[in-house]
Amino acid sequence: MATKVRETPMLDELTKGPWPSFVREIKKSAEDGKEAANDLLGVLERSYHEKIGHWKHGGIVGVMGYGGGVIGRYNDLPEEFPHVAHFHTLRVNQPSGWFYTSDILRKICDIWDKHGSGITNFHGSTGDMVLLGCRTEALEPVFAELTELGFDLGGSGSDMRTPSCCCGKARCEWACYDTMNACYDITMHFQDELHRPAFPYKYKFKFAGCGNDCVASIARSDCAVIGTWKDDIQIDQAAVAEYAKGGGIDIQKHVVERCPAGCMSFDGSKLEINNDDCMKCMHCINALPKALAPGKERGATILIGAKAPIIGGALLSSVFVPFLEMEPPYEDLKELTEAIWDLWGEHGKNRERVGEFIQRIGLGNFLEQIGLEPTPEMVVHPRTNPYIFFELDEEE
Amino acid sequence: MAERKTDIGPPHYEQFLPPVIKKNYGKWKYHEIVRPGVLMHVAESGDKLFSVRAATPRLASTKTLRMFADIAEEYCGGHLRWTSRNNVEFLTDNESNVEPLVERLNKEGYPVGGTGPGITNIVHTQGWVHCHSAASDASGVVKSVMDEMFPYYNGEKKLPAKLRIAFACCLNMCGAVHCSDIAILGVHRKPPDVKHDIMKAQCEIPSTVAACPTGAIRPATVDGKQSVEVIEEQCMFCANCFSVCPAMPLNRPDTDGISIWVGGKVSQARSEPKFSKLAVPYIPNEPPRWPTVVNTVKKIVETYAANARPWERMGEWIDRIGWPRFFKLTGLPFTKYHIDDFTHAGETFQRSLHFKRA
Amino acid sequence: MSASVEDVANAMYEMVKEYHGKKNLKALDLTKAMIQKFGEDQVDKKLCKQAIRQLIDSGKCTYSYVGGSYIVLPPES
Ligand code: SF4
Ligand code: SF4
């Protein structure tokens, strides 16, 4: 296939400089004979001149039986750029922790080279592997070959979105539970909710092994599962002394004085922590990784309700369960999730995320409905306004 | 034809883990950054795992993925992974492979870095490459910013702490950028241009009306066609209506552009997670290299680098010095647009004398 | 439960047809309507879920996405 790769003077400006270039990537696929990639270059060059995108709303495309996993996309200049007239995306559920082998990666490339544009995203914002750009009639064959290889589609629309997690115990000494296993288990358990949208709006899970939150769960997921511990931080005083001797870090200034709880003290050789006051923020552990480690009684805090601004403003997740042991088969988390989905599913408005729903009906009412006891960990402080909706029993 | 498989879920991760990880799963002791872009994790058993981290533009051609596969095979027994911020990591327990890996990746144009107190890869959305509601391109801005910030990626220059940049091309924020040290966000600035001709065929009028958070949309008959009208003063350009109705596009070349937000974080370390706050309400789109955005980001980063203390994230630094001084030091103008006027806006008013000298 | 999955799927299909071009229905709208129609002792959420699955798998209806996921008639019918 000797199609000439389009000339893209404006985009070519983005092939300069030290950072790897996405234009270069699209060109690689175009040079490889992918007409869709070549037309993508054309459309994009045009967008760069006109300062506007040329993509239309999705409409109805998908694979048989699923309501999620495919993002339909059409171009508004189909005559000029016929090979991207359809440019649908498949979201492919990534393996936990985004681990691959060369072998599996090549097989995915084989499928995508055969049916699609040759362009991918590693990875999409939610965590899926994204196969970017194919025609409607390619969707079923791609899906068939992916499932043959052992992969399935991820979520989109008003469903459980593809859960994602940090690499957890696979590589991180701070992981307070097995994030990769929990992510896999929850994904498998809720396959129906992932593929067949039945919620008022999307619902995201993210699993972070500790408060450093490498997957941004507290900002980006309706249900954030963040690793923490109950007992005391483990201290290796010999290693503390090593750090003190080494001089690489000023323990008093950069660790003790930066502790938000003010619960540490250091006499020049021994580090002490008043663990009752510790907020498990991870700072001291980050700063002295060889000397400090999370406690031994580990689990997670479950927080609910984060979202981006649309519709009622951005939210961070807030504490629902201060401490949950995270052992397979994660029955408690599953039960809690089902209770939340039931209530929100029944009373949530269209496009209302669970965080907004909770704000509308009140956290207190929400907890009561799903059968969770209110605890002081759930609030920064008790209410300051006296407008209490008392509910009196008959006899009172 | 083979039976159609559905609901099989993702492949189990275990089959992709390198042997050194399988052996030491959950038994890691500590880690160190042995050089920029290279992590060494040490297990209780004494085993070592080296992760060599390299930048990717997120958008990857299969040719590049195949090349990564070749490299992984050559040096890592075929094992590699991606990070949550679009970096690729090559995993090996053989220390002598680190040097050649670094050299090879740099040579191929996927530079090694992104560890420690500096700037790692930008998480971002699709922009003009694939999105229907983008107010700006995503990849082009990211590329331009990272070219400029490159010394903070490859370890040549250091910052007081990590600095996370995120980009989203409209308020939908598919990348949920709202808790980043620096968030770059595409914005629309004019109400939807209602396409009365296709309204009835493509949209449900009641749900289009209901979609507007400010109640700016009402049903109307225009030129005899059932459609809607927008009360322009009430529109905050959120594009929620466009999400439910293709006949309400907000994209406009002359007025779309970019806003910059600062001081957010997601980690619990030291201070609580925070939202990013508005620094610059609007910068026009300047393809192909968005010089004003790049220079503004650079200015903010350099001011932070010169003034923050070790371990202090952007938001923690600003909390310490106060917003008046942030605006003074960066030279960015403070305008009426910086003052919130949405729900609960009052919570952000200064209700005390506890503000510091600029 | 005594209503069959078929019965419920058929009733759902009628409802989608009836609302076609007027209002997009979500899975939940159908579920609520069926519980109303057949009675709580006849159908529950689980059965509705099965019915929706049958409706979609049979190709009589399909999912669509416009700012939210809906169950609609397949395109050109
Ligand atoms: S984890 Fe945070 S709060 Fe706890 S002792 Fe360490 S620095 Fe202080
Ligand atoms: S852009 Fe937002 S505020 Fe403006 S009319 Fe549409 S929904 Fe309403």
Side-chain angles (χ1 to χ4, degrees):
Chain A
M1 269 195 273
T3 336
K4 210 171 142 281
V5 174
R6 284 172 185 273
E7 294 199 358
T8 54
M10 253 192 148
L11 293 179
D12 289 350
E13 289 301 312
L14 290 167
T15 58
K16 301 170 182 167
W19 194 251
S21 165
F22 70 104
V23 174
R24 197 61 221 110
E25 296 295 323
I26 305 174
K27 291 212 162 175
K28 275 192 191 176
S29 288
E31 284 156 8
D32 207 20
K34 303 285 189 324
E35 300 279 6
N38 205 13
D39 273 2
L40 178 63
L41 286 170
V43 175
L44 202 56
E45 177 72 11
R46 182 135 166 189
S47 287
Y48 267 64
H49 282 280
E50 296 174 354
K51 299 192 208 173
I52 193 157
H54 283 286
W55 304 102
K56 297 198 289 183
H57 263 263
I60 308 177
V61 279
V63 301
M64 254 281 283
Y66 283 10
V70 177
I71 313 300
R73 197 62 83 220
Y74 299 93
N75 196 268
D76 66 4
L77 305 163
E79 276 88 44
E80 232 168 303
F81 304 105
H83 301 288
V84 291
H86 297 198
F87 201 63
H88 311 315
T89 285
L90 291 112
R91 291 187 181 160
V92 181
N93 197 328
Q94 80 285 1
S96 279
W98 300 287
F99 283 90
Y100 297 90
T101 54
S102 48
D103 178 53
I104 203 77
L105 209 53
R106 285 201 192 99
K107 286 179 176 151
I108 292 164
C109 291
D110 290 343
I111 298 175
W112 197 231
D113 279 338
K114 185 163 144 204
H115 298 284
S117 68
I119 298 169
T120 70
N121 285 158
F122 271 68
H123 295 80
S125 290
T126 302
D128 299 278
M129 180 204 309
V130 170
L131 303 180
L132 198 65
C134 71
R135 297 191 55 80
T136 306
E137 54 277 16
L139 293 170
E140 278 297 328
V142 172
F143 179 64
E145 288 178 36
L146 280 171
T147 49
E148 207 44 53
L149 192 61
F151 281 85
D152 198 345
L153 297 189
S156 68
S158 309
D159 62 6
M160 177 180 86
R161 295 301 181 85
T162 313
S164 79
C165 62
C166 69
C167 65
K169 288 182 185 269
R171 196 182 61 187
C172 186
E173 65 272 25
W174 298 327
C176 292
Y177 69 96
D178 190 343
T179 53
M180 300 219 302
N181 184 266
C183 182
Y184 178 75
D185 189 291
I186 292 292
T187 309
M188 296 309 280
H189 186 76
F190 293 119
Q191 278 292 295
D192 193 53
E193 287 76 6
L194 178 67
H195 299 302
R196 297 175 190 81
F199 299 151
Y201 205 16
K202 59 186 108 172
Y203 192 92
K204 299 187 179 184
F205 272 103
K206 288 196 192 294
F207 298 87
C210 77
N212 286 322
D213 201 354
C214 293
V215 282
S217 69
I218 198 156
R220 303 187 50 180
S221 54
D222 301 86
C223 179
V225 182
I226 305 181
T228 187
W229 62 95
K230 263 209 307 216
D231 53 343
D232 294 354
I233 290 180
Q234 305 181 60
I235 309 183
D236 176 346
Q237 295 292 358
V240 173
E242 284 291 310
Y243 275 114
K245 250 202 344 248
I249 183 163
D250 182 334
I251 296 182
Q252 178 60 30
K253 206 164 153 205
H254 294 143
V255 184
V256 174
E257 288 171 21
R258 283 299 162 77
C259 167
C263 67
M264 311 183 87
S265 59
F266 182 57
D267 64 5
S269 62
K270 199 167 173 246
L271 187 67
E272 281 188 70
I273 300 176
N274 173 3
N275 279 279
D276 283 345
D277 287 353
C278 166
M279 305 190 290
K280 282 109 183 158
C281 82
M282 290 299 294
H283 172 68
C284 58
I285 301 174
N286 292 341
L288 306 172
K290 286 187 192 169
L292 304 181
K296 290 181 172 157
E297 267 179 76
R298 300 179 178 190
T301 301
I302 313 294
L303 304 97
I304 303 288
K307 57 179 283 293
I310 302 293
I311 302 167
L315 296 172
L316 290 168
S317 279
S318 74
V319 173
F320 252 60
V321 184
F323 187 87
L324 192 67
E325 267 170 45
M326 285 292 291
E327 293 299 331
Y330 314 103
E331 284 305 339
D332 291 342
L333 180 60
K334 287 173 187 164
E335 262 176 45
L336 176 72
T337 301
E338 277 168 8
I340 291 172
W341 286 348
D342 256 0
L343 185 66
W344 167 59
E346 179 119 10
H347 302 289
K349 294 189 206 160
N350 193 23
R351 284 171 69 74
E352 184 176 48
R353 294 281 286 269
V354 75
E356 288 165 316
F357 173 66
I358 292 171
Q359 294 216 320
R360 177 159 65 83
I361 71 159
L363 177 58
N365 290 332
F366 189 88
L367 293 170
E368 191 170 73
Q369 298 272 339
I370 63 169
L372 266 191
E373 284 297 322
T375 72
E377 288 87 354
M378 295 174 181
V379 293
V380 177
H381 56 69
R383 71 161 73 219
T384 56
N385 71 64
Y387 307 131
I388 307 172
F389 291 96
F390 287 109
E391 295 158 6
L392 294 191
D393 287 341
E394 281 300 293
E395 55 269 30
E396 282 180 77
Chain B
M1 197 182 129
E3 205 196 316
R4 198 167 177 278
K5 286 185 192 165
T6 68
D7 300 87
I8 61 167
H12 197 281
Y13 52 88
E14 209 177 83
Q15 58 195 292
F16 305 128
L17 301 178
V20 62
I21 286 187
K22 273 192 204 157
K23 181 180 160 207
N24 298 290
Y25 198 89
K27 299 198 191 82
W28 297 100
K29 201 164 166 351
Y30 67 90
H31 76 274
E32 276 173 5
I33 300 169
V34 290
R35 56 187 276 184
V38 182
L39 301 167
M40 175 184 73
H41 285 83
V42 180
E44 284 160 12
S45 65
D47 288 353
K48 289 178 181 168
L49 168 69
F50 296 87
S51 306
V52 178
R53 183 177 290 177
T56 84
R58 181 174 90 137
L59 190 153
S61 135
T62 47
K63 270 186 156 174
T64 299
L65 296 175
R66 289 179 196 277
M67 180 192 72
F68 288 163
D70 292 345
I71 295 177
E73 236 153 64
E74 202 173 325
Y75 301 105
C76 308
H79 292 283
L80 73 171
R81 72 176 286 267
W82 268 262
T83 71
S84 56
R85 302 189 79 85
N86 313 322
N87 293 306
V88 61
E89 284 180 344
F90 294 85
L91 309 165
T92 175
D93 55 359
N94 182 351
E95 187 164 5
S96 62
N97 277 342
V98 169
E99 187 61 41
L101 255 173
V102 172
E103 251 170 57
R104 175 75 182 275
L105 287 162
N106 284 333
K107 190 181 115 244
E108 299 285 358
Y110 301 86
V112 171
T115 52
I119 298 180
T120 184
N121 209 337
I122 297 182
V123 290
H124 65 96
T125 54
Q126 300 286 15
W128 293 334
V129 171
H130 198 257
C131 183
H132 61 300
S133 70
S136 174
D137 189 31
S139 314
V141 182
V142 167
K143 160 80 175 141
S144 305
V145 169
M146 284 314 287
D147 275 339
E148 189 65 41
M149 294 293 122
F150 190 65
Y152 297 106
Y153 182 85
N154 72 357
E156 235 172 79
K157 288 190 189 171
K158 283 205 163 49
L159 290 173
K162 291 176 188 173
L163 195 145
R164 301 289 192 232
I165 307 180
F167 180 100
C169 46
C170 81
L171 273 54
N172 274 321
M173 284 193 196
C174 302
V177 301
H178 56 286
C179 296
S180 309
D181 296 281
I182 298 181
I184 310 174
L185 175 67
V187 287
H188 301 296
R189 296 190 306 152
K190 277 198 170 171
D193 177 18
V194 186
K195 305 281 180 219
H196 302 293
D197 290 342
I198 57 166
M199 173 62 72
K200 192 72 199 23
Q202 299 217 2
C203 312
E204 273 178 19
I205 289 175
S207 44
T208 307
V209 170
C212 181
T214 71
I217 304 176
R218 57 187 175 204
T221 308
V222 181
D223 300 331
K225 294 186 196 86
Q226 265 178 280
S227 184
V228 301
E229 64 183 8
V230 177
I231 308 165
E232 305 213 338
E233 318 69 84
Q234 232 162 292
C235 178
M236 55 181 184
F237 325 115
C238 69
N240 199 42
C241 52
F242 181 59
S243 291
V244 305
C245 168
M248 306 284 286
L250 281 94
N251 303 354
R252 283 178 217 230
D254 46 340
T255 49
D256 284 351
I258 279 175
S259 58
I260 297 183
W261 307 68
V262 298
K265 74 194 264 284
V266 294
S267 103
Q268 307 283 325
R270 300 167 306 284
S271 59
E272 293 171 351
K274 315 176 202 298
F275 288 120
S276 312
K277 284 101 185 169
L278 183 64
V280 182
Y282 177 72
I283 298 170
N285 276 322
E286 301 167 321
R289 299 219 45 126
W290 281 268
T292 312
V293 172
V294 171
N295 288 332
T296 309
V297 169
K298 191 176 173 203
K299 175 89 210 165
I300 295 170
V301 170
E302 285 175 353
T303 310
Y304 160 74
N307 291 281
R309 295 176 180 160
W311 294 96
E312 209 167 43
R313 295 281 292 261
M314 176 81 69
E316 294 170 321
W317 165 62
I318 300 172
D319 282 351
R320 175 167 62 78
I321 63 167
W323 287 97
R325 202 175 307 156
F326 170 81
F327 282 99
K328 186 176 167 193
L329 288 173
T330 53
L332 298 170
F334 186 82
T335 69
K336 86 166 191 182
Y337 295 132
H338 289 87
I339 303 174
D340 194 359
D341 47 14
F342 195 54
T343 328
H344 310 306
E347 285 169 15
T348 64
F349 299 170
Q350 181 62 268
R351 287 173 161 144
S352 75
L353 304 190
H354 291 211
F355 50 88
K356 292 180 185 170
R357 195 182 287 163
Chain C
M1 299 297 124
S2 39
S4 73
V5 176
E6 277 76 30
D7 291 345
V8 177
N10 285 333
M12 284 178 171
Y13 180 60
E14 291 307 319
M15 189 172 164
V16 173
K17 268 207 305 204
E18 187 191 326
Y19 280 84
H20 178 68
K22 296 188 197 98
K23 184 174 161 42
N24 286 328
L25 300 169
K26 296 187 77 100
L28 193 82
D29 300 326
L30 291 170
T31 302
K32 278 185 180 163
M34 292 306 119
I35 292 174
Q36 265 239 304
K37 183 180 161 97
F38 289 84
E40 261 177 63
D41 50 333
Q42 298 284 311
V43 299
D44 61 6
K45 287 184 186 170
K46 214 167 140 200
L47 193 130
C48 288
K49 217 173 176 175
Q50 291 169 340
I52 289 170
R53 190 153 173 176
Q54 197 183 84
L55 197 62
I56 300 280
D57 287 350
S58 70
K60 282 165 84 180
C61 285
T62 181
Y63 287 103
S64 85
Y65 182 81
V66 232
S69 302
Y70 301 94
I71 292 170
V72 300
L73 298 178
E76 67 287 285
S77 64

